[in-house]
Amino acid sequence: MTSIATLGSHCSLQVLKGAKDEGLKTILICEKKREKLYRRFPFIDELILVDSFKEVLDDKCQKKLQENNAILIPHGTLVAQMSSEEIESIKTPVFGNKWILRWESDRVMKEKLMREATLPMPNPVSSPKEIKKLVIVKRQGAAGGKGYFMASSEEDYNTKREQLILEKVISKDEPLYIQEYAAGVLAYLTFFYSPLREELEFFGVDQRHESDIEGLARIPAQQQLNSQKVPSFNVIGNSPLVLRESLLDEVYTMGENFVKAAKRVVAPGMNGPFCIEGVYDENAKFTSFEFSARIVAGSNIYMDGSPYYSLLFNETMSMGKRIAREIKNATASNELDKITT
Ligand code: ATP
């Protein structure tokens, strides 16, 4: 029997619950410090206890996964805590395309794929000297918004950067990435592409709540001006959003363009869940600042099914369950090689 394994964090509960609902065995690679939490959930069949998630690369762990015919579901924690080389070296079959995760982590490659997919993007700013309007300054990799800051001039940039170095949030020689700030309504658009059916599904939209940029909005302007703190974009949680129906056609087109572009640049393409992240401006024009080439934590909102999936499936369908369903279908038709790498 195939089993589903994932790292204990991010969206592991949803992934394993979905797998259990589909009748698959569930395995959690769990840091010892979180054992008590995860033992609370009866749908987790087996815990592989580790001191650090990096142990997933060790022969011992890989052997255990192999004995269980496991497929590893990658999520944000895997991308944040392991290098692309490490992820690519995982011997256990990874759901989706593990090669595309490098394109998510590396800012230059990320931009290249987004351009290939013709996603409308904010302009990159090549150096602090070129800051002419409001920009957002980001760190490399999936830092989850921690240590990101906004600046409106070179001087402003230098002051904030120095302050964050003093606070040890960022390091002195850390390369930073500057991008024009896109104002509007945040929307994180999640899709699922099935290489078995060669079909794109739109799953849903979420919004991220980020501290303390959101906290700042609750403080009157006078106190904001007196504050010396550099606000960050650290994700705390997510909430649901539905879009004006007139925007859906363009959403599907963006998803399809992304799938086509990924097929061209990083075989076998964008299989499984992915997310296009950005903002809608006052003219309902979407600007995308980011993508995730795997399940995002925003899908946790829809553990009981999303509004858009209730239009496509006559049953409750979470993203975790959708992944497990794809694995079940591929197992039945002997096509697991089509959906894993
Ligand atoms: P994750 O991997 O968790 O998605 P990340 O480290 O790759 O995070 P981004 O998603 O690029 O970072 O940015 C983090 C947050 O910063 C976004 O959720 C958004 O609120 C804000 N943000 C990023 N880029 C822009 C932009 N160009 N304009 C406006 N806001 C932005």
Side-chain angles (χ1 to χ4, degrees), residues 10 76 79-80 104-105 107 110 121-123 134-146 148-150 177-184 186 188 207-210 213-214 232-235 277-279 287-292 294 296:
H10 195 264
V79 176
E104 172 184 330
S105 301
R107 291 240 176 254
K110 168 173 283 177
M121 287 159 65
N123 291 323
L134 190 61
V135 296
I136 178 162
V137 184
K138 306 183 185 189
R139 303 167 69 193
Q140 283 286 339
K146 198 153 196 200
Y148 292 16
F149 61 94
M150 280 150 77
Y177 176 84
I178 313 171
Q179 186 178 65
E180 280 178 10
Y181 187 82
L186 287 174
Y188 299 83
Q207 287 200 315
R208 266 176 220 169
H209 296 282
E210 297 162 332
I213 191 73
E214 281 197 22
S232 183
F233 288 76
N234 194 16
V235 185
E277 306 162 8
V279 289
T287 302
S288 174
F289 45 73
E290 162 85 318
F291 71 81
S292 298
R294 35 79 196 170
V296 288

Short mmCIF file of all heavy atoms in Angstrom, two decimals, residues 10 76 79-80 104-105 107 110 121-123 134-146 148-150 177-184 186 188 207-210 213-214 232-235 277-279 287-292 294 296, ligand 1:
data_model
loop_
_atom_site.label_atom_id
_atom_site.label_comp_id
_atom_site.label_asym_id
_atom_site.label_seq_id
_atom_site.Cartn_x
_atom_site.Cartn_y
_atom_site.Cartn_z
N HIS A 10 3.50 23.48 9.05
CA HIS A 10 2.92 24.13 7.85
C HIS A 10 1.48 23.71 7.50
O HIS A 10 0.54 24.46 7.78
CB HIS A 10 3.86 23.87 6.66
CG HIS A 10 3.62 24.74 5.47
ND1 HIS A 10 2.85 24.33 4.40
CD2 HIS A 10 4.04 25.96 5.17
CE1 HIS A 10 2.82 25.27 3.48
NE2 HIS A 10 3.55 26.29 3.93
N GLY A 76 5.96 24.29 2.60
CA GLY A 76 6.80 25.46 2.85
C GLY A 76 7.96 25.20 3.80
O GLY A 76 9.03 25.78 3.65
N VAL A 79 10.87 23.66 1.95
CA VAL A 79 11.54 24.66 1.12
C VAL A 79 12.34 25.64 1.98
O VAL A 79 13.45 26.04 1.63
CB VAL A 79 10.50 25.42 0.25
CG1 VAL A 79 11.16 26.52 -0.56
CG2 VAL A 79 9.77 24.45 -0.68
N ALA A 80 11.79 26.00 3.15
CA ALA A 80 12.46 26.99 4.00
C ALA A 80 13.68 26.39 4.70
O ALA A 80 14.67 27.08 4.92
CB ALA A 80 11.47 27.54 5.03
N GLU A 104 11.48 28.26 -7.13
CA GLU A 104 10.75 29.04 -6.13
C GLU A 104 11.73 29.73 -5.17
O GLU A 104 11.50 30.86 -4.74
CB GLU A 104 9.81 28.11 -5.34
CG GLU A 104 9.16 28.81 -4.16
CD GLU A 104 8.30 27.90 -3.30
OE1 GLU A 104 7.70 26.94 -3.82
OE2 GLU A 104 8.20 28.20 -2.10
N SER A 105 12.83 29.05 -4.84
CA SER A 105 13.75 29.57 -3.81
C SER A 105 14.70 30.63 -4.33
O SER A 105 15.10 31.52 -3.58
CB SER A 105 14.59 28.43 -3.24
OG SER A 105 13.78 27.46 -2.69
N ARG A 107 15.67 33.83 -6.34
CA ARG A 107 14.94 35.01 -6.84
C ARG A 107 15.12 35.23 -8.35
O ARG A 107 14.19 35.63 -9.02
CB ARG A 107 15.37 36.26 -6.09
CG ARG A 107 14.94 36.26 -4.66
CD ARG A 107 14.03 37.44 -4.33
NE ARG A 107 13.58 37.31 -2.96
CZ ARG A 107 12.36 36.94 -2.60
NH1 ARG A 107 11.45 36.68 -3.50
NH2 ARG A 107 12.03 36.85 -1.33
N LYS A 110 13.15 32.55 -10.13
CA LYS A 110 11.73 32.82 -9.89
C LYS A 110 11.21 33.87 -10.87
O LYS A 110 10.19 33.70 -11.53
CB LYS A 110 11.55 33.31 -8.45
CG LYS A 110 10.18 33.89 -8.18
CD LYS A 110 10.01 34.20 -6.72
CE LYS A 110 9.74 32.93 -5.97
NZ LYS A 110 9.63 33.09 -4.54
N MET A 121 4.27 41.61 -13.19
CA MET A 121 5.06 41.67 -11.95
C MET A 121 5.45 43.10 -11.59
O MET A 121 5.60 43.94 -12.48
CB MET A 121 6.36 40.91 -12.17
CG MET A 121 6.20 39.42 -12.21
SD MET A 121 7.60 38.72 -13.03
CE MET A 121 8.89 39.16 -11.90
N PRO A 122 5.71 43.38 -10.32
CA PRO A 122 6.25 44.69 -9.95
C PRO A 122 7.68 44.80 -10.48
O PRO A 122 8.38 43.78 -10.55
CB PRO A 122 6.27 44.68 -8.42
CG PRO A 122 5.74 43.38 -7.98
CD PRO A 122 5.58 42.49 -9.15
N ASN A 123 8.10 46.01 -10.86
CA ASN A 123 9.45 46.15 -11.38
C ASN A 123 10.49 45.90 -10.30
O ASN A 123 10.35 46.38 -9.18
CB ASN A 123 9.66 47.57 -11.92
CG ASN A 123 8.82 47.79 -13.15
OD1 ASN A 123 8.67 46.89 -13.98
ND2 ASN A 123 8.26 48.99 -13.26
N LEU A 134 7.93 54.02 -3.57
CA LEU A 134 7.87 53.05 -2.47
C LEU A 134 8.28 51.65 -2.95
O LEU A 134 7.78 51.15 -3.96
CB LEU A 134 6.45 53.02 -1.90
CG LEU A 134 6.27 52.23 -0.61
CD1 LEU A 134 7.11 52.83 0.51
CD2 LEU A 134 4.81 52.21 -0.20
N VAL A 135 9.22 51.05 -2.21
CA VAL A 135 9.65 49.69 -2.55
C VAL A 135 9.51 48.77 -1.34
O VAL A 135 9.38 49.24 -0.20
CB VAL A 135 11.15 49.65 -3.00
CG1 VAL A 135 11.36 50.44 -4.27
CG2 VAL A 135 12.08 50.11 -1.88
N ILE A 136 9.55 47.47 -1.63
CA ILE A 136 9.63 46.49 -0.54
C ILE A 136 10.97 45.79 -0.69
O ILE A 136 11.40 45.50 -1.81
CB ILE A 136 8.43 45.51 -0.54
CG1 ILE A 136 8.55 44.47 0.58
CG2 ILE A 136 8.25 44.80 -1.87
CD1 ILE A 136 7.23 43.77 0.91
N VAL A 137 11.64 45.58 0.44
CA VAL A 137 12.97 44.97 0.41
C VAL A 137 12.84 43.58 1.02
O VAL A 137 12.32 43.42 2.13
CB VAL A 137 13.98 45.82 1.19
CG1 VAL A 137 15.38 45.23 1.07
CG2 VAL A 137 13.96 47.26 0.70
N LYS A 138 13.30 42.58 0.25
CA LYS A 138 13.09 41.18 0.68
C LYS A 138 14.41 40.46 0.86
O LYS A 138 15.41 40.81 0.25
CB LYS A 138 12.30 40.43 -0.39
CG LYS A 138 11.00 41.07 -0.78
CD LYS A 138 10.29 40.19 -1.78
CE LYS A 138 9.05 40.86 -2.27
NZ LYS A 138 8.23 39.95 -3.07
N ARG A 139 14.35 39.39 1.63
CA ARG A 139 15.52 38.52 1.80
C ARG A 139 15.42 37.37 0.80
O ARG A 139 14.38 37.17 0.18
CB ARG A 139 15.53 37.99 3.23
CG ARG A 139 15.53 39.14 4.23
CD ARG A 139 15.24 38.66 5.62
NE ARG A 139 16.35 37.87 6.14
CZ ARG A 139 16.27 37.12 7.23
NH1 ARG A 139 15.14 37.05 7.88
NH2 ARG A 139 17.30 36.44 7.65
N GLN A 140 16.50 36.62 0.67
CA GLN A 140 16.49 35.46 -0.25
C GLN A 140 15.63 34.34 0.33
O GLN A 140 15.47 34.25 1.53
CB GLN A 140 17.92 34.94 -0.44
CG GLN A 140 18.78 35.76 -1.36
CD GLN A 140 18.42 35.59 -2.84
OE1 GLN A 140 17.80 34.61 -3.23
NE2 GLN A 140 18.80 36.57 -3.65
N GLY A 141 15.08 33.50 -0.53
CA GLY A 141 14.39 32.30 -0.08
C GLY A 141 13.04 32.58 0.54
O GLY A 141 12.59 33.72 0.58
N ALA A 142 12.41 31.53 1.05
CA ALA A 142 11.09 31.69 1.66
C ALA A 142 11.26 32.06 3.12
O ALA A 142 11.21 31.23 4.01
CB ALA A 142 10.29 30.41 1.52
N ALA A 143 11.51 33.34 3.36
CA ALA A 143 11.73 33.79 4.74
C ALA A 143 10.41 34.06 5.44
O ALA A 143 10.38 34.46 6.60
CB ALA A 143 12.59 35.04 4.73
N GLY A 144 9.30 33.87 4.70
CA GLY A 144 7.98 34.10 5.29
C GLY A 144 7.76 35.56 5.66
O GLY A 144 6.97 35.88 6.53
N GLY A 145 8.45 36.46 4.99
CA GLY A 145 8.22 37.88 5.21
C GLY A 145 8.98 38.46 6.39
O GLY A 145 8.94 39.66 6.63
N LYS A 146 9.68 37.62 7.13
CA LYS A 146 10.41 38.10 8.31
C LYS A 146 11.62 38.95 7.87
O LYS A 146 12.41 38.51 7.04
CB LYS A 146 10.87 36.91 9.15
CG LYS A 146 11.22 37.32 10.54
CD LYS A 146 11.05 36.22 11.53
CE LYS A 146 11.06 36.90 12.90
NZ LYS A 146 11.34 36.08 13.97
N TYR A 148 11.51 41.65 6.16
CA TYR A 148 11.22 42.47 4.97
C TYR A 148 10.86 43.88 5.44
O TYR A 148 10.32 44.06 6.52
CB TYR A 148 10.02 41.90 4.20
CG TYR A 148 10.27 40.56 3.55
CD1 TYR A 148 11.35 39.78 3.92
CD2 TYR A 148 9.42 40.09 2.57
CE1 TYR A 148 11.58 38.55 3.31
CE2 TYR A 148 9.64 38.86 1.95
CZ TYR A 148 10.72 38.10 2.34
OH TYR A 148 10.94 36.90 1.74
N PHE A 149 11.18 44.87 4.64
CA PHE A 149 10.80 46.22 5.04
C PHE A 149 10.49 47.09 3.82
O PHE A 149 10.83 46.72 2.69
CB PHE A 149 11.90 46.86 5.91
CG PHE A 149 13.25 47.02 5.24
CD1 PHE A 149 13.59 48.21 4.62
CD2 PHE A 149 14.18 45.98 5.25
CE1 PHE A 149 14.84 48.37 4.02
CE2 PHE A 149 15.42 46.13 4.65
CZ PHE A 149 15.76 47.33 4.03
N MET A 150 9.84 48.21 4.09
CA MET A 150 9.49 49.13 3.01
C MET A 150 10.41 50.34 3.09
O MET A 150 10.84 50.74 4.17
CB MET A 150 8.03 49.57 3.15
CG MET A 150 7.07 48.53 2.61
SD MET A 150 5.51 48.52 3.45
CE MET A 150 4.73 49.92 2.75
N TYR A 177 16.83 41.95 -1.90
CA TYR A 177 16.18 42.08 -3.20
C TYR A 177 15.16 43.21 -3.09
O TYR A 177 14.33 43.22 -2.17
CB TYR A 177 15.51 40.75 -3.53
CG TYR A 177 14.71 40.73 -4.79
CD1 TYR A 177 15.32 40.51 -6.03
CD2 TYR A 177 13.33 40.91 -4.76
CE1 TYR A 177 14.58 40.48 -7.19
CE2 TYR A 177 12.58 40.88 -5.92
CZ TYR A 177 13.21 40.66 -7.13
OH TYR A 177 12.46 40.63 -8.27
N ILE A 178 15.23 44.16 -4.01
CA ILE A 178 14.34 45.33 -3.92
C ILE A 178 13.32 45.28 -5.06
O ILE A 178 13.67 45.02 -6.21
CB ILE A 178 15.15 46.65 -4.01
CG1 ILE A 178 16.37 46.59 -3.09
CG2 ILE A 178 14.27 47.85 -3.67
CD1 ILE A 178 17.34 47.76 -3.29
N GLN A 179 12.09 45.56 -4.72
CA GLN A 179 11.01 45.47 -5.71
C GLN A 179 10.03 46.60 -5.45
O GLN A 179 9.80 46.97 -4.29
CB GLN A 179 10.33 44.11 -5.50
CG GLN A 179 9.28 43.73 -6.49
CD GLN A 179 8.73 42.34 -6.18
OE1 GLN A 179 8.12 42.15 -5.14
NE2 GLN A 179 8.95 41.39 -7.07
N GLU A 180 9.44 47.16 -6.51
CA GLU A 180 8.43 48.21 -6.31
C GLU A 180 7.28 47.67 -5.49
O GLU A 180 6.87 46.52 -5.68
CB GLU A 180 7.91 48.71 -7.67
CG GLU A 180 8.86 49.70 -8.32
CD GLU A 180 8.36 50.16 -9.69
OE1 GLU A 180 7.21 49.87 -10.06
OE2 GLU A 180 9.17 50.80 -10.39
N TYR A 181 6.76 48.49 -4.61
CA TYR A 181 5.64 48.06 -3.77
C TYR A 181 4.34 48.16 -4.56
O TYR A 181 4.06 49.18 -5.19
CB TYR A 181 5.55 48.95 -2.51
CG TYR A 181 4.53 48.44 -1.53
CD1 TYR A 181 4.85 47.42 -0.65
CD2 TYR A 181 3.25 48.96 -1.50
CE1 TYR A 181 3.92 46.92 0.24
CE2 TYR A 181 2.30 48.48 -0.60
CZ TYR A 181 2.65 47.45 0.26
OH TYR A 181 1.72 46.96 1.14
N ALA A 182 3.57 47.07 -4.58
CA ALA A 182 2.28 47.08 -5.28
C ALA A 182 1.17 47.18 -4.25
O ALA A 182 1.04 46.29 -3.41
CB ALA A 182 2.15 45.79 -6.10
N ALA A 183 0.40 48.26 -4.30
CA ALA A 183 -0.66 48.45 -3.30
C ALA A 183 -1.98 47.90 -3.82
O ALA A 183 -2.26 47.96 -5.01
CB ALA A 183 -0.79 49.94 -2.98
N GLY A 184 -2.77 47.34 -2.93
CA GLY A 184 -4.09 46.83 -3.33
C GLY A 184 -4.57 45.76 -2.38
O GLY A 184 -4.07 45.64 -1.26
N LEU A 186 -4.70 42.08 -1.19
CA LEU A 186 -3.88 40.86 -1.30
C LEU A 186 -4.73 39.68 -1.72
O LEU A 186 -5.85 39.51 -1.23
CB LEU A 186 -3.27 40.52 0.06
CG LEU A 186 -2.13 41.38 0.60
CD1 LEU A 186 -1.80 40.95 2.02
CD2 LEU A 186 -0.90 41.27 -0.28
N TYR A 188 -4.03 35.46 -2.73
CA TYR A 188 -3.14 34.32 -2.98
C TYR A 188 -3.98 33.25 -3.65
O TYR A 188 -4.87 32.69 -3.04
CB TYR A 188 -2.53 33.84 -1.65
CG TYR A 188 -1.71 34.94 -1.00
CD1 TYR A 188 -2.31 35.94 -0.23
CD2 TYR A 188 -0.34 35.02 -1.21
CE1 TYR A 188 -1.58 36.97 0.31
CE2 TYR A 188 0.41 36.06 -0.66
CZ TYR A 188 -0.22 37.03 0.10
OH TYR A 188 0.51 38.05 0.63
N GLN A 207 -6.02 35.15 2.06
CA GLN A 207 -5.23 36.34 2.36
C GLN A 207 -4.33 36.01 3.52
O GLN A 207 -4.71 35.24 4.41
CB GLN A 207 -6.15 37.49 2.77
CG GLN A 207 -6.92 38.06 1.60
CD GLN A 207 -7.42 39.46 1.92
OE1 GLN A 207 -7.95 39.69 3.01
NE2 GLN A 207 -7.27 40.38 1.00
N ARG A 208 -3.14 36.57 3.52
CA ARG A 208 -2.23 36.34 4.64
C ARG A 208 -2.31 37.48 5.62
O ARG A 208 -2.44 38.63 5.20
CB ARG A 208 -0.81 36.25 4.12
CG ARG A 208 -0.46 34.84 3.86
CD ARG A 208 0.88 34.68 3.26
NE ARG A 208 0.71 33.62 2.27
CZ ARG A 208 1.59 33.30 1.36
NH1 ARG A 208 2.71 33.96 1.30
NH2 ARG A 208 1.36 32.34 0.52
N HIS A 209 -2.23 37.16 6.87
CA HIS A 209 -2.18 38.22 7.89
C HIS A 209 -0.76 38.29 8.42
O HIS A 209 -0.23 37.28 8.90
CB HIS A 209 -3.19 37.93 9.00
CG HIS A 209 -4.58 37.98 8.46
ND1 HIS A 209 -5.25 39.16 8.22
CD2 HIS A 209 -5.40 37.01 8.04
CE1 HIS A 209 -6.43 38.91 7.71
NE2 HIS A 209 -6.55 37.60 7.57
N GLU A 210 -0.18 39.47 8.25
CA GLU A 210 1.25 39.60 8.52
C GLU A 210 1.51 40.63 9.61
O GLU A 210 0.95 41.72 9.61
CB GLU A 210 1.95 39.99 7.21
CG GLU A 210 1.79 38.88 6.17
CD GLU A 210 2.07 39.29 4.73
OE1 GLU A 210 1.88 40.46 4.37
OE2 GLU A 210 2.47 38.42 3.96
N ILE A 213 3.06 44.52 10.13
CA ILE A 213 2.57 45.53 9.19
C ILE A 213 1.07 45.76 9.41
O ILE A 213 0.57 46.88 9.33
CB ILE A 213 2.90 45.16 7.71
CG1 ILE A 213 2.63 46.30 6.75
CG2 ILE A 213 2.19 43.90 7.24
CD1 ILE A 213 3.61 47.42 6.82
N GLU A 214 0.34 44.68 9.76
CA GLU A 214 -1.10 44.83 10.00
C GLU A 214 -1.37 45.54 11.32
O GLU A 214 -2.31 46.30 11.44
CB GLU A 214 -1.76 43.45 10.04
CG GLU A 214 -1.99 42.92 8.65
CD GLU A 214 -3.00 41.78 8.62
OE1 GLU A 214 -3.83 41.64 9.56
OE2 GLU A 214 -2.95 41.03 7.66
N SER A 232 7.58 44.47 9.95
CA SER A 232 7.94 43.29 9.19
C SER A 232 6.69 42.67 8.57
O SER A 232 5.58 43.17 8.77
CB SER A 232 8.61 42.31 10.16
OG SER A 232 9.03 41.18 9.48
N PHE A 233 6.88 41.60 7.80
CA PHE A 233 5.75 40.95 7.10
C PHE A 233 5.67 39.48 7.51
O PHE A 233 5.45 38.60 6.69
CB PHE A 233 5.95 41.05 5.58
CG PHE A 233 5.75 42.42 5.02
CD1 PHE A 233 6.72 43.40 5.17
CD2 PHE A 233 4.59 42.75 4.34
CE1 PHE A 233 6.54 44.67 4.66
CE2 PHE A 233 4.39 44.02 3.83
CZ PHE A 233 5.37 44.99 3.98
N ASN A 234 5.86 39.20 8.79
CA ASN A 234 5.89 37.83 9.27
C ASN A 234 4.48 37.23 9.28
O ASN A 234 3.59 37.75 9.94
CB ASN A 234 6.49 37.85 10.69
CG ASN A 234 6.88 36.48 11.15
OD1 ASN A 234 7.00 35.55 10.35
ND2 ASN A 234 7.07 36.33 12.45
N VAL A 235 4.29 36.14 8.54
CA VAL A 235 2.94 35.56 8.41
C VAL A 235 2.49 34.95 9.73
O VAL A 235 3.20 34.16 10.34
CB VAL A 235 2.93 34.43 7.35
CG1 VAL A 235 1.51 33.92 7.13
CG2 VAL A 235 3.53 34.90 6.05
N GLU A 277 0.76 34.59 -6.16
CA GLU A 277 0.51 35.50 -5.04
C GLU A 277 0.68 36.95 -5.47
O GLU A 277 1.68 37.29 -6.12
CB GLU A 277 1.49 35.13 -3.91
CG GLU A 277 1.37 33.66 -3.58
CD GLU A 277 2.53 33.03 -2.80
OE1 GLU A 277 3.43 33.75 -2.36
OE2 GLU A 277 2.52 31.80 -2.64
N GLY A 278 -0.28 37.77 -5.13
CA GLY A 278 -0.16 39.17 -5.54
C GLY A 278 -1.26 40.05 -5.01
O GLY A 278 -1.89 39.73 -3.99
N VAL A 279 -1.47 41.17 -5.69
CA VAL A 279 -2.48 42.13 -5.24
C VAL A 279 -3.32 42.61 -6.43
O VAL A 279 -2.84 42.68 -7.55
CB VAL A 279 -1.86 43.40 -4.58
CG1 VAL A 279 -1.26 43.10 -3.25
CG2 VAL A 279 -0.85 44.07 -5.48
N THR A 287 -1.26 42.21 -9.93
CA THR A 287 0.20 42.22 -10.02
C THR A 287 0.71 41.11 -9.12
O THR A 287 0.32 41.02 -7.95
CB THR A 287 0.78 43.56 -9.53
OG1 THR A 287 0.21 44.60 -10.33
CG2 THR A 287 2.29 43.62 -9.69
N SER A 288 1.56 40.25 -9.67
CA SER A 288 2.01 39.09 -8.91
C SER A 288 3.44 39.29 -8.43
O SER A 288 4.32 39.59 -9.22
CB SER A 288 1.94 37.86 -9.81
OG SER A 288 2.50 36.78 -9.14
N PHE A 289 3.67 39.13 -7.13
CA PHE A 289 5.03 39.32 -6.63
C PHE A 289 5.71 38.00 -6.28
O PHE A 289 6.87 37.98 -5.89
CB PHE A 289 5.08 40.27 -5.43
CG PHE A 289 4.04 40.03 -4.38
CD1 PHE A 289 4.12 38.94 -3.54
CD2 PHE A 289 2.97 40.92 -4.24
CE1 PHE A 289 3.17 38.72 -2.58
CE2 PHE A 289 2.01 40.70 -3.25
CZ PHE A 289 2.11 39.60 -2.43
N GLU A 290 4.97 36.89 -6.47
CA GLU A 290 5.55 35.65 -5.94
C GLU A 290 4.74 34.44 -6.38
O GLU A 290 3.55 34.56 -6.66
CB GLU A 290 5.50 35.80 -4.41
CG GLU A 290 5.63 34.57 -3.56
CD GLU A 290 7.07 34.18 -3.32
OE1 GLU A 290 7.85 34.26 -4.28
OE2 GLU A 290 7.38 33.77 -2.20
N PHE A 291 5.38 33.27 -6.45
CA PHE A 291 4.60 32.03 -6.58
C PHE A 291 5.18 31.00 -5.62
O PHE A 291 6.33 31.11 -5.20
CB PHE A 291 4.62 31.50 -8.03
CG PHE A 291 5.95 30.94 -8.47
CD1 PHE A 291 6.34 29.65 -8.13
CD2 PHE A 291 6.83 31.71 -9.21
CE1 PHE A 291 7.57 29.14 -8.51
CE2 PHE A 291 8.07 31.21 -9.59
CZ PHE A 291 8.45 29.92 -9.25
N SER A 292 4.37 30.02 -5.29
CA SER A 292 4.84 28.87 -4.52
C SER A 292 4.54 27.66 -5.38
O SER A 292 3.41 27.49 -5.83
CB SER A 292 4.09 28.76 -3.19
OG SER A 292 4.35 29.90 -2.41
N ARG A 294 4.19 24.55 -4.73
CA ARG A 294 3.75 23.40 -3.90
C ARG A 294 2.58 23.90 -3.06
O ARG A 294 2.21 25.08 -3.16
CB ARG A 294 4.89 22.89 -3.02
CG ARG A 294 5.86 23.96 -2.50
CD ARG A 294 5.39 24.74 -1.34
NE ARG A 294 6.13 25.97 -1.11
CZ ARG A 294 5.75 26.90 -0.25
NH1 ARG A 294 4.63 26.77 0.43
NH2 ARG A 294 6.44 28.02 -0.10
N VAL A 296 0.33 25.54 -0.34
CA VAL A 296 0.59 26.66 0.56
C VAL A 296 -0.27 26.51 1.83
O VAL A 296 -1.31 25.87 1.81
CB VAL A 296 0.29 28.04 -0.10
CG1 VAL A 296 1.33 28.39 -1.14
CG2 VAL A 296 -1.11 28.11 -0.67
P1 ATP B 1 6.57 33.06 1.34
O1 ATP B 1 7.57 32.12 0.79
O2 ATP B 1 6.15 32.77 2.74
O3 ATP B 1 5.45 33.33 0.38
P2 ATP B 1 8.44 35.12 0.75
O4 ATP B 1 9.54 35.21 1.73
O5 ATP B 1 8.77 34.47 -0.52
O6 ATP B 1 7.28 34.45 1.50
P3 ATP B 1 6.82 37.24 -0.47
O7 ATP B 1 5.61 36.36 -0.55
O8 ATP B 1 7.47 37.67 -1.70
O9 ATP B 1 7.90 36.56 0.50
O10 ATP B 1 6.49 38.51 0.41
C1 ATP B 1 6.00 38.45 1.74
C2 ATP B 1 4.87 39.46 1.90
O11 ATP B 1 5.33 40.78 1.56
C3 ATP B 1 3.68 39.23 0.99
O12 ATP B 1 2.77 38.34 1.52
C4 ATP B 1 3.09 40.65 0.85
O13 ATP B 1 2.30 41.02 1.93
C5 ATP B 1 4.30 41.50 0.87
N1 ATP B 1 4.79 41.81 -0.49
C6 ATP B 1 5.75 41.16 -1.16
N2 ATP B 1 6.04 41.76 -2.32
C7 ATP B 1 5.23 42.83 -2.42
C8 ATP B 1 5.05 43.86 -3.39
N3 ATP B 1 5.81 43.94 -4.49
N4 ATP B 1 4.13 44.79 -3.15
C9 ATP B 1 3.38 44.73 -2.03
N5 ATP B 1 3.51 43.82 -1.06
C10 ATP B 1 4.42 42.86 -1.25
#
